[in-house]
Amino acid sequence: MKTKLIALLPFLAWFKTINKNTIKADIIAGFTGAVVVLPQGVAFATIAGLPPEYGLYTAMVTPIIAALFGSSYHLISGPTTAISIVMFSTISRHVEPGSPEFISMALTLTFLAGVYQFAFGLARFGTLVNFVSHTVIIGFTSGAAILIATSQLKHITGIYVPTGESFLHVWIDLYQGFAGFDIYLLIIALVTLFSAILFKRFLPKSPNLLIGMVLGSVLAFYLPRFGISTNIALVGEIPAHLPPLSMPNFSFSTFSTLASEAFAIALLGLIEAVSISRAVAAKSNQRINPNQEFVGQGLSNIVGSFFSSYAGSGSFTRSGINYESGAKTPLSAIFAALFLMIIVLLIAPLTAYLPIAAMGGVILLVAYNLIDARHVVKIFKYSKSESAILITTFLATLFLELEFAIYLGVLLSLVLFLAKTSTPRIPTLSIDNMNNEGSRNFVNIAKKPLRQCPQLKIIRVDMSIYFGSINHIQKKIEKISDGQNIHHILIVASGINFIDLSGMETLASEHNRLKRKGGGLYFVGLKAPVYQFLAQAHFFEKISRINFFDSKSVAIRTIYRRLERDICTQCDAKIFNECR
């Protein structure tokens, strides 16, 4: 009963660990997180095409729900750059960014994405994220970084660019409208950008983005005092109140319009959240439950859609800062949200003096930090297949619809996974009679040249036998049988985790073919679950149970009796004890 209650209300598991020391540590970490997310929330909402306050609302609501129902002690949820750019790309095709219709569709998209995520968690699909290559995320975020930076160029140059233009068309518009370039907007953006970089460099624990925005705002405020005439657009005052109630649009037409896009956002959000929580957990030595994380992310988006929040996920920056600040429990995420509420109520009117160009400078820095140059270089250096995935996902992000780029990247990851598992390593083994410890072991002949039995070939399959890999395994068996004229084949099965029905049918067919030639297929060292599944699937009716062995010595002794004596008497290899 207690286990079921904790599964339903996971926060009960860490509530009992709260004490005076953990609360103190979580309050400090929470305040730090609130200061960090303040400029980020405004910037991310701008990227998403929403009014700035919606980024702050998201940072107030989603962290609380995700902390209560997730599994990570340090993951901080909220608005993220990748999801923000997908939100903008998706909804701007239908309605004008920033309009009431845009906001309504954003809330509906958030609700749908949350439903997908919650359903995935209940269905225990948490392990699915393991099949999505990290290279896909690197390629997508690198492409998203370029898109984000491109989207801000009109704000920091003053050049008019129509809303909703594609990546290529934006650059064409910037080139054609260069006569409208405003140098002072660029100066404000660069002052914001470089001041944020310098404070991060020399005062790493300072709220560098917030400081950069303040300095950019001060510069914009004093430029007219020096007689400089410029048209500096301002963000405008953010409402100084808590997230208001909202209602997604539950009409069938809206759901059908946004269903596929919501799936892409749900998938991207889950990959982000689980990847980040695992990365932080590797440092904190905490075990992450992906299924529970799915539930937490799903509920945070579902609830958020009713409190003026748009789709969020785990933030690597804020989660890393949360851990480094000494957070002990998920209570730190709740404190961060509460502190943010207080800060917004106190300083919201000051955003009326924030130039959009300064915001553009901050977003440029955010975009730059999205590019993981170290991993990109490593991928290009060590893996051609991963490099192809990276380039494809990157280019798809720039030139295709963003949700399609996500699907394409995931599809390529699965293709890569199947390609790797479809050609398992099948080393040939032989007996090592020269072992220094006095024991006789099977050794890969590629590592040590050993004599082999002319009638019995010993191979090891280093991966599971399923529909994708069986063709490769079948060719190996045929090569041994037809090319080397060896019809007794012993498979060392210690590396086989499962055998599916296609694998069983093909193995049975190969055994019967070898049997007609006087040989057969033999197996040694099958894992108990695999053996049990083969028994349940009546595999032993097709290949006799006497062809399966628990120990290598029994397998060799039994198979040796089935070899042709005439060949044995003329053989000079004599690698088995039975040969002597």
Side-chain angles (χ1 to χ4, degrees):
M1 185 65 182
K2 183 179 178 181
T3 304
K4 291 181 179 179
L5 186 62
I6 290 178
L8 186 64
L9 304 172
F11 53 84
L12 295 177
W14 54 264
F15 264 17
K16 59 185 178 182
T17 65
I18 295 175
N19 55 45
K20 182 179 178 181
N21 292 329
T22 63
I23 290 176
K24 181 180 178 181
D26 289 338
I27 287 176
I28 296 172
F31 182 76
T32 304
V35 173
V36 169
V37 78
L38 180 62
Q40 284 189 344
V42 175
F44 295 161
T46 304
I47 293 171
L50 292 163
E53 61 267 23
Y54 280 81
L56 299 177
Y57 295 157
T58 304
M60 294 175 190
V61 178
T62 55
I64 296 176
I65 306 300
L68 291 174
F69 292 94
S71 68
S72 174
Y73 278 24
H74 300 99
L75 182 71
I76 302 292
S77 294
T80 68
T81 44
I83 291 181
S84 296
I85 189 67
V86 177
M87 289 282 290
F88 175 80
S89 172
T90 298
I91 307 175
S92 61
R93 297 199 301 266
H94 305 291
V95 293
E96 182 70 19
S99 65
E101 294 79 11
F102 189 96
I103 295 172
S104 177
M105 292 192 78
L107 296 174
T108 306
L109 193 61
T110 299
F111 175 82
L112 281 173
V115 170
Y116 280 128
Q117 293 172 332
F118 184 67
F120 290 161
L122 293 182
R124 308 189 70 79
F125 285 171
T127 55
L128 289 180
V129 296
N130 297 332
F131 294 96
V132 181
S133 169
H134 185 58
T135 304
V136 172
I137 304 301
I138 294 176
F140 176 78
T141 52
S142 298
I146 303 299
L147 288 178
I148 291 167
T150 301
S151 71
Q152 296 306 305
L153 292 179
K154 62 181 180 181
H155 298 307
I156 65 176
T157 62
I159 300 173
Y160 173 74
V161 176
T163 302
E165 291 278 75
S166 66
F167 169 73
L168 203 56
H169 284 97
V170 169
W171 282 99
I172 294 173
D173 291 337
L174 290 171
Y175 174 76
Q176 293 177 342
F178 191 76
F181 177 72
D182 189 333
I183 186 63
Y184 298 111
L185 293 180
L186 180 61
I187 292 173
I188 292 172
L190 292 179
V191 167
T192 304
L193 173 66
F194 286 113
S195 59
I197 293 174
L198 291 174
F199 272 92
K200 183 65 177 179
R201 173 69 176 84
F202 296 105
L203 295 172
K205 294 186 178 181
S206 64
N208 64 313
L209 295 181
L210 187 60
I211 294 172
M213 289 167 61
V214 170
L215 292 178
S217 301
V218 170
L219 176 61
F221 181 78
Y222 279 103
L223 275 179
R225 271 64 172 175
F226 292 101
I228 298 173
S229 177
T230 183
N231 184 22
I232 302 174
L234 303 176
V235 170
E237 183 177 340
I238 294 176
H241 56 66
L242 301 180
L245 293 175
S246 58
M247 179 63 69
N249 185 346
F250 292 110
S251 67
F252 178 77
S253 60
T254 304
F255 271 29
S256 59
T257 300
L258 299 176
S260 61
E261 289 92 343
F263 185 85
I265 288 176
L267 185 61
L268 177 60
L270 293 177
I271 294 170
E272 277 190 316
V274 175
S275 301
I276 294 166
S277 60
R278 282 180 172 171
V280 178
K283 298 179 181 179
S284 62
N285 297 318
Q286 187 208 345
R287 294 191 64 180
I288 299 299
N289 182 345
N291 296 313
Q292 191 63 54
E293 209 57 61
F294 278 24
V295 170
Q297 292 300 315
L299 285 176
S300 69
N301 283 323
I302 291 173
V303 174
S305 67
F306 293 96
F307 287 91
S308 302
S309 302
Y310 74 94
S313 182
S315 164
F316 188 81
T317 301
R318 298 194 297 278
S319 299
I321 290 174
N322 189 46
Y323 173 73
E324 296 295 337
S325 299
K328 301 299 181 184
T329 72
L331 202 59
S332 60
I334 298 174
F335 281 137
L338 296 176
F339 280 128
L340 180 61
M341 294 177 189
I342 296 171
I343 292 172
V344 168
L345 292 175
L346 294 176
I347 70 168
L350 297 179
T351 58
Y353 302 98
L354 176 61
I356 293 178
M359 180 63 63
V362 168
I363 293 175
L364 287 179
L365 182 57
V366 170
Y368 173 77
N369 290 332
L370 275 178
I371 301 175
D372 192 344
R374 184 171 60 88
H375 277 95
V376 169
V377 171
K378 186 181 292 187
I379 289 169
F380 279 120
K381 185 176 181 180
Y382 295 111
S383 176
K384 291 183 179 179
S385 59
E386 295 280 352
S387 298
I389 289 179
L390 175 67
I391 293 172
T392 303
T393 308
F394 175 77
L395 293 177
T397 303
L398 290 181
F399 298 106
L400 302 177
E401 302 295 346
L402 285 182
E403 65 273 13
F404 180 76
I406 298 171
Y407 294 145
L408 180 61
V410 171
L411 178 63
L412 286 173
S413 291
L414 293 176
V415 169
L416 179 64
F417 170 76
L418 290 175
K420 288 180 178 179
T421 58
S422 65
T423 54
R425 290 180 64 253
I426 310 178
T428 299
L429 311 179
S430 189
I431 295 290
D432 184 6
N433 290 312
M434 302 300 291
N435 191 293
N436 293 329
E437 299 176 357
S439 60
R440 292 158 51 83
N441 299 317
F442 284 164
V443 176
N444 186 347
I445 64 170
K447 297 181 178 179
K448 185 176 182 179
L450 298 169
R451 290 187 175 185
Q452 300 180 61
C453 174
Q455 296 189 71
L456 172 62
K457 181 69 71 174
I458 306 170
I459 61 175
R460 186 181 71 236
V461 179
D462 286 342
M463 206 168 287
S464 298
I465 301 176
Y466 74 109
F467 66 90
S469 64
I470 190 60
N471 185 58
H472 178 73
I473 297 169
Q474 187 178 23
K475 286 183 178 179
K476 179 71 174 181
I477 294 173
E478 289 178 350
K479 185 177 181 181
I480 294 170
S481 175
D482 300 337
Q484 303 176 29
N485 201 32
I486 299 176
H487 309 307
H488 294 277
I489 300 176
L490 174 62
I491 297 178
V492 178
S494 56
I496 300 174
N497 291 320
F498 73 90
I499 302 177
D500 71 355
L501 294 176
S502 297
M504 285 189 286
E505 292 293 335
T506 304
L507 290 175
S509 175
E510 287 300 309
H511 169 72
N512 292 330
R513 188 175 67 85
L514 293 172
K515 189 176 181 180
R516 288 193 294 271
K517 296 182 178 183
L521 269 184
Y522 311 93
F523 300 84
V524 61
L526 272 174
K527 296 178 180 179
V530 180
Y531 192 93
Q532 183 179 4
F533 176 75
L534 295 180
Q536 292 173 347
H538 306 289
F539 185 58
F540 299 127
E541 295 175 3
K542 301 175 181 178
I543 297 182
S544 176
R545 196 180 294 269
I546 62 174
N547 282 33
F548 294 82
F549 307 96
D550 293 328
S551 70
K552 298 171 186 175
S553 58
V554 174
I556 296 298
R557 187 164 57 249
T558 304
I559 298 171
Y560 176 78
R561 300 193 190 105
R562 304 177 186 178
L563 303 181
E564 293 185 26
R565 298 274 77 82
D566 292 344
I567 298 178
C568 288
T569 55
Q570 300 176 13
C571 174
D572 59 355
K574 300 189 184 303
I575 64 173
F576 306 126
N577 286 334
E578 290 76 7
C579 299
R580 300 164 189 162

